[in-house]
Amino acid sequence: MAVTTSDEADEHLIREAEKVAVALGRMFPGLCEVVLHDLRNPRHAIRTIENNLSGRKVGDSVTELGLARIEDPDYPSVIQNYPNQFPDGRPAKSTSIGIKNTAGEYVAALCLNLDVSVLSPMTLALSNLVATDTEHRDQPLEVLRDRNARELRQVVEALAAERAAAPRSLSREDKKALVRQLHQDGYFDSRDAAQTIADLLGVSRATVYNYSK
């Protein structure tokens, strides 16, 4: 089938968008995943992926937002700062930008996925640095019997931030000390707490139990 002038114009538009995707990704290495989707080919939409944090690859299929834009040209062009999650559970903040051709059809989408799990310990560390109320810092954490995974994640990140690191980057000894602190404060009473802690620290569940002894 012959390539039309419209097809050539759309391809040129996407190639220009690829330059933007690569430049953005290289500006935020290891921190922000940048993905360019070719909405003309939803089954193999990913044209470019920089700072691969989601485990996807070039040629993978389009996301739900991409399908929504393909089906509805009036779908919002920009969806900004919405909560998202990487496959391994790390929280992300995402922005999706739809790109239309001269006919008003979506032909591409540029998506940015910021790994906020990297920034959380830094934010907590800075908060601790400027805090002036230290009256209760040496007292044990309050024991709450009904703690969910989100609350446990916050505690783990806070304890890691006191060591100026992300949970997964802690040394073996620091991870052991952190697990023992969680055990002492009653966090192991929660359902699936050991598995949640293991996922956050990047170790096995058996290792968590071994550290807690």
Side-chain angles (χ1 to χ4, degrees):
M1 183 174 64
V3 177
T4 66
T5 303
S6 177
D7 291 334
E8 291 176 344
D10 290 350
E11 180 63 23
H12 176 75
L13 186 64
I14 292 174
R15 287 180 179 175
E16 291 299 301
E18 282 183 324
K19 298 177 184 178
V20 177
V22 171
L24 285 173
R26 293 180 181 177
M27 188 171 181
F28 303 102
L31 182 62
C32 184
E33 178 184 77
V34 183
V35 187
L36 179 67
H37 297 272
D38 183 345
L39 300 185
R40 302 172 304 171
N41 187 9
R43 290 188 177 181
H44 305 284
I46 295 183
R47 285 277 294 255
T48 301
I49 182 165
E50 289 286 321
N51 296 329
N52 193 334
L53 301 175
S54 63
R56 292 175 292 173
K57 60 183 183 299
V58 172
D60 278 357
S61 61
V62 74
T63 64
E64 292 83 357
L65 277 180
L67 291 174
R69 288 193 173 108
I70 291 171
E71 295 172 359
D72 182 10
D74 293 325
Y75 196 85
S77 296
V78 178
I79 308 293
Q80 193 159 17
N81 296 333
Y82 58 92
N84 213 335
Q85 190 177 66
F86 293 111
D88 62 1
R90 283 173 298 163
K93 183 173 78 170
S94 298
T95 291
S96 178
I97 306 165
I99 300 171
K100 291 183 176 181
N101 60 14
T102 55
E105 302 166 331
Y106 282 113
V107 295
L110 182 64
C111 302
L112 295 84
N113 303 308
L114 182 69
D115 183 357
V116 297
S117 72
V118 176
L119 298 175
S120 295
M122 296 170 57
T123 302
L124 288 167
L126 289 173
S127 296
N128 289 336
L129 182 65
V130 300
T132 56
D133 182 9
T134 59
E135 181 181 354
H136 305 292
R137 289 296 301 276
D138 295 331
Q139 295 183 3
L141 294 173
E142 180 182 11
V143 176
L144 301 175
R145 298 301 174 185
D146 184 19
R147 297 184 174 98
N148 59 31
R150 177 176 296 180
E151 292 169 334
L152 185 54
R153 176 186 292 276
Q154 291 173 345
V155 172
V156 170
E157 289 180 346
L159 292 174
E162 291 178 359
R163 297 168 171 82
R168 286 173 173 254
S169 65
L170 290 170
S171 68
R172 181 176 180 274
E173 290 305 314
D174 281 342
K175 288 180 180 179
K176 183 182 295 186
L178 187 149
V179 170
R180 288 178 177 174
Q181 182 67 50
L182 293 173
H183 188 271
Q184 177 183 328
D185 293 335
Y187 283 92
F188 278 71
D189 294 344
S190 303
R191 182 182 178 184
D192 297 327
Q195 186 59 59
T196 300
I197 295 168
D199 292 340
L200 292 170
L201 296 181
V203 299
S204 69
R205 183 175 179 177
T207 298
V208 168
Y209 280 121
N210 186 49
Y211 285 171
S212 68
K213 295 178 181 178

